[in-house]
Amino acid sequence: AEYMGRIFSSVTRAMLRAVCVVLSVWGVSGLALTPPTESATIVQTLAAASTESAKPMQGNAMPPATPPLVAPPPAAAAAVATLPADLPNIVIVIPTMRRWAHDGKPAPETYLKPLMNGIVSSLTPELSKHISFMLMNVDKEPEKHLEFQECLKLPNVTAVPRPVDDFDVSQLLLKDSSGMFVDYKGRQISGDTLNWRAGETRDVSHLLLHAMSKAPFVMMLEDDVAPTSSVIPKIFNFLEGMKKGGKMDFFMVDLYTPAVWYGPPSAANMERYDYECCTQAMLFNSKRIPEMVAYELQNPQNPIDDNIRDFVRADRDARPVYAMIPNPFQHVGAFSSNPEKSTGTVEHRSLYFEP
């Protein structure tokens, strides 16, 4: 553990520099680049910055609403009729890149545009006032990600630049006797996959920090999920139920409950949920984002979801996670942004999804 801490100290410093740049835009100062061993200091400083940036959230203005490209179905209008007048704002963030087959050729299917159209089609003109999108093109050849360019034409969509600093985590790790790297679980892993994992952590952290000052809630989606019908009205109704139940202090709401190898998770709507894995769809309380980002950036060698799980379990009472059942999103990605992980089949699906 001490060895790993020394290894990643320099990487963490580079990544936290991006946090300082973002927070400086908001006029927040005093964030020192602190080694991983002083995580409490980082968390406290970022949390204070979050509190300061969150002050104007309730009155913040969204971009002028643009009529949806696709008219909302009748079900969406019916769901809106049950919503309260004081809807909160939500920023939806999506990192995206092209998908690849295992042989390195372009995947035969795409996901981002159907996802965006599915969400936008659930918006009435009134709901459009409360929803905005931030997309980050993380493709190695961003100009070739044509889906991304097309989605920028949709209502209330902005592009967030990818962090400019780059690093090679694999250069800091030792290889085993077979010439492979060994990850935190003792599994063999290639340098490309290790850097892909650390790059995801950096990109997502940067995106969340950009979004957190724009609205009280940030919804993070992977670009290979499909929404349920009337997805935004359903999520607003869920939040209203949470508000009436006195549960708005949540750290995160799990919007995708996977039926995966470790056994069916126990999840009930608006109840506490023992989060285990997967980042397909989740809703964060904006004021809780800085402390999580600090933890992520100190552990770039780990998958994002493993970091979230460990972060939550370190203090379950202070970081409550709830579930939204049925899930409003389904995992549909059969091809990965990492060719080594592409199988042509969907690895896992929601345990509780209704179209």
Side-chain angles (χ1 to χ4, degrees):
E2 181 180 356
Y3 170 71
M4 292 298 290
R6 293 198 307 270
I7 283 178
F8 286 103
S9 178
S10 60
V11 175
T12 302
R13 286 174 178 270
M15 297 175 78
L16 283 175
R17 228 171 253 115
V19 180
C20 294
V21 170
V22 173
L23 292 179
S24 67
V25 173
W26 307 331
V28 178
S29 59
L31 180 62
L33 295 181
T34 313
T37 52
E38 299 179 20
S39 60
T41 302
I42 295 176
V43 168
Q44 291 170 2
T45 307
L46 285 175
S50 172
T51 301
E52 188 65 26
S53 67
K55 287 181 180 178
M57 282 183 180
Q58 296 301 325
N60 69 311
M62 287 301 208
T66 304
L69 299 187
V70 182
V80 170
T82 66
L83 293 174
D86 56 339
L87 294 176
N89 292 334
I90 299 176
V91 177
I92 301 174
V93 300
I94 308 175
T96 179
M97 70 183 300
R98 291 172 296 162
R99 300 299 176 116
W100 306 95
H102 192 71
D103 60 5
K105 296 179 180 179
E109 57 191 37
T110 58
Y111 306 116
L112 178 62
K113 193 173 179 180
L115 167 61
M116 292 291 291
N117 283 334
I119 296 174
V120 171
S121 69
S122 75
L123 298 177
T124 63
E126 178 60 29
L127 288 181
S128 295
K129 299 175 183 178
H130 300 278
I131 298 294
S132 65
F133 300 86
M134 289 186 175
L135 305 184
M136 178 183 284
N137 186 349
V138 298
D139 200 283
K140 291 182 178 179
E141 298 178 285
E143 70 282 356
K144 295 184 179 180
H145 191 5
L146 301 182
E147 254 196 315
F148 171 80
Q149 300 299 333
E150 293 178 18
C151 288
L152 291 181
K153 302 173 185 177
L154 291 168
N156 297 341
V157 178
T158 59
V160 175
R162 195 179 189 189
V164 294
D165 61 302
D166 203 3
F167 55 89
D168 184 356
V169 175
S170 66
Q171 293 181 359
L172 304 176
L173 295 181
L174 298 177
K175 295 181 179 181
D176 64 11
S177 58
S178 66
M180 294 288 287
F181 297 101
V182 179
D183 73 0
Y184 69 112
K185 288 186 176 180
R187 300 172 300 193
Q188 287 187 327
I189 185 173
S190 70
D192 286 345
T193 295
L194 188 63
N195 282 322
W196 170 78
R197 179 185 291 172
E200 276 194 331
T201 298
R202 176 197 60 179
D203 294 337
V204 166
S205 298
H206 187 78
L207 193 51
L208 289 173
L209 286 171
H210 266 278
M212 58 170 272
S213 66
K214 308 300 182 183
F217 303 106
V218 176
M219 186 190 308
M220 187 178 79
L221 303 177
E222 294 192 5
D223 65 358
D224 63 343
V225 295
T228 183
S229 58
S230 305
V231 60
I232 296 302
K234 288 178 179 177
I235 289 173
F236 276 132
N237 276 318
F238 173 87
L239 286 174
E240 180 63 14
M242 291 283 285
K243 181 179 179 181
K244 291 179 179 179
K247 301 176 180 179
M248 294 299 280
D249 63 337
F250 65 83
F251 160 67
M252 184 184 87
V253 174
D254 183 69
L255 304 178
Y256 172 79
T257 309
V260 291
W261 56 92
Y262 55 78
S266 175
N269 193 42
M270 298 188 193
E271 296 298 332
R272 293 286 290 269
Y273 171 58
D274 186 18
Y275 175 84
E276 175 67 27
C277 91
C278 307
T279 55
Q280 271 67 31
M282 46 189 60
L283 182 71
F284 292 104
N285 196 325
S286 290
K287 64 184 180 182
R288 311 299 298 276
I289 286 175
E291 54 184 327
M292 181 195 71
V293 166
Y295 189 89
E296 289 281 358
L297 294 182
Q298 291 176 85
N299 297 277
Q301 75 280 13
N302 300 342
I304 295 171
D305 51 351
D306 282 7
N307 280 337
I308 293 176
R309 179 200 62 214
D310 295 344
F311 175 73
V312 168
R313 291 181 179 176
D315 195 343
R316 295 174 190 265
D317 292 337
R319 300 159 185 166
V321 176
Y322 292 85
M324 179 175 174
I325 306 297
N327 291 158
F329 293 95
Q330 175 65 286
H331 183 211
V332 296
F335 297 91
S336 174
S337 56
N338 178 5
E340 292 183 17
K341 295 186 63 179
S342 284
T343 62
T345 59
V346 181
E347 184 179 8
H348 50 76
R349 292 185 182 272
S350 167
L351 194 65
Y352 309 104
F353 178 78
E354 293 180 0

